[in-house]
Amino acid sequence: MSLIQLAKHAFFNFPQLKEARKIGLGKIIAYILLLSSLSAIPITFQVLQIFKDIQTDGQEIAKQIPDFSIADGKLKTDNAEKGFIYQTDSIIFTFDPEGRRTPEDVSKDMVGNFLSVGLLSEELIVSLPSNDATTSILGSNQFELLYTDLTDANLLNGKMLRNILANQQLPWWVFVVIFIVALYPSFLSLIASILIATLFGNIYCRFRQVRYSFLDNLKITTLCVTLPVVVATIVHALTYTFDSSTFVLLSTLFIFTRAVRPEKNIT
């Protein structure tokens, strides 16, 4: 039985999934990548939506930015502009030429927003949400750029910043990059679910005296995870708070018990 036929059986004929043990390991790995790609789609669109929200809010913030320049490592305004804080749905923007705020203040402002940006008197601050993913990938959730570190201070001024924010467009390759980044945790999460389900499946097979090897059970489990991943992907696309990992694991275990259950002989 081919892998495509088994994938069809994964939706309505669970006992046939035991035939997956005859499929080559290379095809099984490719199938896991295919399922991971499917589960990465909702994450990709969610992240894209965040980028679009930031783009829209950035255009709104652009209208609020006054004329300024950088001189002697400090932020200078052309008309003695006072500082202000402007908040949108995704961004909190701080403009502080008077030096009243600190980088810590900018970071603390970020409550319920995705991004906090501060043009302070001596540095530019960008703060992202503080979580394990941000820390592990970027090393820090806050980035600071001293104006004295700029090779050309004329590169940063009010007109330039307004033009960047007002005219920015997301290039097509951003979608590809986001998808690849989303694919990595999706693949790891799916691999973890399959391995855990296989371990429990081995125990179940021993109790039921089903003599399959660990590799056999791994292949069967990979096909058993098909329906849970499809359902989880659909639900995840509708709600961000769905615990897909737990659902996929428990559903896969249930389908596995149906797939490897010995057939009863009718005499």
Side-chain angles (χ1 to χ4, degrees):
M1 189 176 298
S2 69
L3 183 59
I4 295 177
Q5 291 174 318
L6 284 172
K8 294 178 180 179
H9 286 307
F11 290 92
F12 58 86
N13 193 0
F14 300 151
Q16 290 293 327
L17 297 184
K18 64 170 66 74
E19 298 300 318
R21 67 188 190 278
K22 301 175 183 178
I23 300 296
L25 184 59
K27 292 182 178 180
I28 293 295
I29 295 175
Y31 192 70
I32 294 175
L33 284 172
L34 178 62
L35 292 177
S36 301
S37 300
L38 179 64
S39 62
I41 292 175
I43 301 175
T44 301
F45 280 102
Q46 290 168 13
V47 174
L48 268 178
Q49 186 58 52
I50 292 175
F51 272 75
K52 290 181 180 179
D53 290 342
I54 292 176
Q55 178 184 4
T56 301
D57 290 346
Q59 293 170 351
E60 183 178 342
I61 289 173
K63 302 174 184 178
Q64 313 299 322
I65 298 176
D67 289 328
F68 71 87
S69 59
I70 304 298
D72 300 324
K74 292 185 178 295
L75 182 67
K76 305 291 185 181
T77 56
D78 295 349
N79 299 310
E81 297 282 350
K82 293 184 178 181
F84 63 87
I85 299 175
Y86 191 84
Q87 181 173 354
T88 65
D89 292 336
S90 62
I91 304 174
I92 295 181
F93 177 77
T94 299
F95 185 78
D96 178 32
E98 301 168 303
R100 295 182 178 182
R101 313 206 74 210
T102 66
E104 290 74 21
D105 294 330
V106 174
S107 181
K108 291 177 182 177
D109 286 340
M110 190 174 52
V111 178
N113 295 70
F114 181 78
L115 190 64
S116 181
V117 180
L119 277 172
L120 306 186
S121 61
E122 297 182 356
E123 56 189 324
L124 169 67
I125 304 295
V126 178
S127 292
L128 299 173
S130 180
N131 53 48
D132 292 338
T134 304
T135 303
S136 61
I137 295 174
L138 302 176
S140 173
N141 70 307
Q142 182 161 299
F143 303 91
E144 304 179 11
L145 174 64
L146 293 173
Y147 300 139
T148 52
D149 293 336
L150 293 174
T151 55
D152 186 356
N154 293 325
L155 292 176
L156 182 60
N157 56 62
K159 182 179 179 180
M160 180 274 296
L161 193 56
R162 286 193 298 269
N163 288 337
I164 290 178
L165 293 176
N167 301 316
Q168 61 176 331
Q169 297 292 331
L170 290 178
W172 64 268
W173 51 263
V174 169
F175 178 85
V176 178
V177 171
I178 293 174
F179 177 76
I180 293 174
V181 172
L183 180 61
Y184 177 70
S186 298
F187 178 75
L188 292 182
S189 177
L190 185 58
I191 285 290
S193 296
I194 290 174
L195 288 176
I196 294 172
T198 302
L199 290 174
F200 282 103
N202 263 358
I203 297 174
Y204 176 82
C205 287
R206 289 181 180 274
F207 277 112
R208 297 304 298 266
Q209 296 183 344
V210 177
R211 299 185 180 279
Y212 292 155
S213 67
F214 181 87
L215 184 58
D216 289 339
N217 288 331
L218 178 66
K219 294 177 180 180
I220 296 171
T221 301
T222 301
L223 269 297
C224 291
V225 83
T226 304
L227 180 58
V229 166
V230 172
V231 173
T233 299
I234 295 173
V235 177
H236 199 194
L238 301 176
T239 174
Y240 298 164
T241 59
F242 180 62
D243 188 358
S244 58
S245 298
T246 302
F247 170 79
V248 168
L249 177 59
L250 295 179
S251 301
T252 301
L253 285 171
F254 173 79
I255 295 174
F256 182 89
T257 60
R258 306 277 79 77
V260 302
R261 185 168 53 184
E263 298 180 2
K264 295 181 179 179
N265 294 323
I266 302 176
T267 57

